[in-house]
Amino acid sequence: MDKTFFKFVLGALGLALSASAIIYGIHAYELSNQLYSLITDVTQRRAVESESDEYGGTLPEETLNLFMDALKKDDLELASKYFLVESRTEWYDHLKSLREAGLLSGVIDDLSRAKKYQSVSKDQVFFTAANVNGEVVAIVDLVKRLNRWKLGGL
């Protein structure tokens, strides 16, 4: 084979690889911008929701008591509002399934025995909830957001 032909083929391959890399880079850049925009939009929406959120107490114990009061009234919509904004829908569905399974009264009983377990920081506290035998059956996570304590999880 001729050296000129070999150089031509290598040059063409190099050009094709360079073009592919540029196209891939442009596509990756566009995707990262779309992802950044999506994350920014969601973050801003949650910030607005959190700022207007009036549910929760000024103390973690108060939020836990408000949550239990809502459960005792079988007001799952209200009870779910004591959770962080971003997880309310999931918790509403979970509480609804507990009610349908006949387990909600047991959850209320267990939560009535909740005791402060540990403060992770000035903005996060854990409680333990025990059954009638004193066995820990749940850890309650409370998080402070904009001067209101919210349930992070059970």
Side-chain angles (χ1 to χ4, degrees), residues 1-150:
M1 268 202 211
D2 186 67
K3 285 186 177 184
T4 306
F5 178 73
F6 184 68
K7 287 181 182 180
F8 174 76
V9 169
L10 280 178
L13 283 174
L15 186 61
L17 285 173
S18 296
S20 295
I22 289 170
I23 291 170
Y24 175 78
I26 290 170
H27 183 66
Y29 177 75
E30 289 173 352
L31 283 176
S32 73
N33 278 343
Q34 289 173 356
L35 182 60
Y36 177 77
S37 295
L38 178 65
I39 290 171
T40 301
D41 290 346
V42 169
T43 303
Q44 288 173 345
R45 231 177 305 128
R46 286 198 177 142
V48 169
E49 289 173 353
S50 292
E51 287 175 14
S52 63
D53 184 9
E54 59 192 49
Y55 298 94
T58 55
L59 298 170
E61 295 85 356
E62 181 184 5
T63 297
L64 190 56
N65 288 330
L66 290 167
F67 173 68
M68 287 190 304
D69 289 343
L71 289 179
K72 288 174 186 173
K73 294 174 187 170
D74 200 36
D75 189 346
L76 303 184
E77 184 74 30
L78 177 59
S80 67
K81 291 182 180 182
Y82 294 110
F83 284 92
L84 294 169
V85 171
E86 56 267 25
S87 62
R88 282 185 181 160
T89 303
E90 294 84 8
W91 277 105
Y92 174 80
D93 293 341
H94 185 65
L95 293 171
K96 191 174 171 184
S97 67
L98 287 171
R99 178 176 63 193
E100 290 167 359
L103 301 172
L104 207 50
S105 61
V107 170
I108 296 167
D109 288 342
D110 293 343
L111 288 175
S112 69
R113 290 182 288 279
K115 296 195 181 338
K116 197 172 194 177
Y117 172 68
Q118 182 179 12
S119 293
V120 177
S121 69
K122 65 182 176 86
D123 296 329
Q124 187 173 22
V125 174
F126 290 105
F127 285 74
T128 56
N131 62 18
V132 292
N133 299 323
E135 302 163 329
V136 173
V137 293
I139 296 176
V140 183
D141 177 20
L142 285 120
V143 181
K144 191 174 187 181
R145 292 270 174 94
L146 299 172
N147 296 320
R148 298 236 179 238
W149 285 89
K150 310 298 287 179

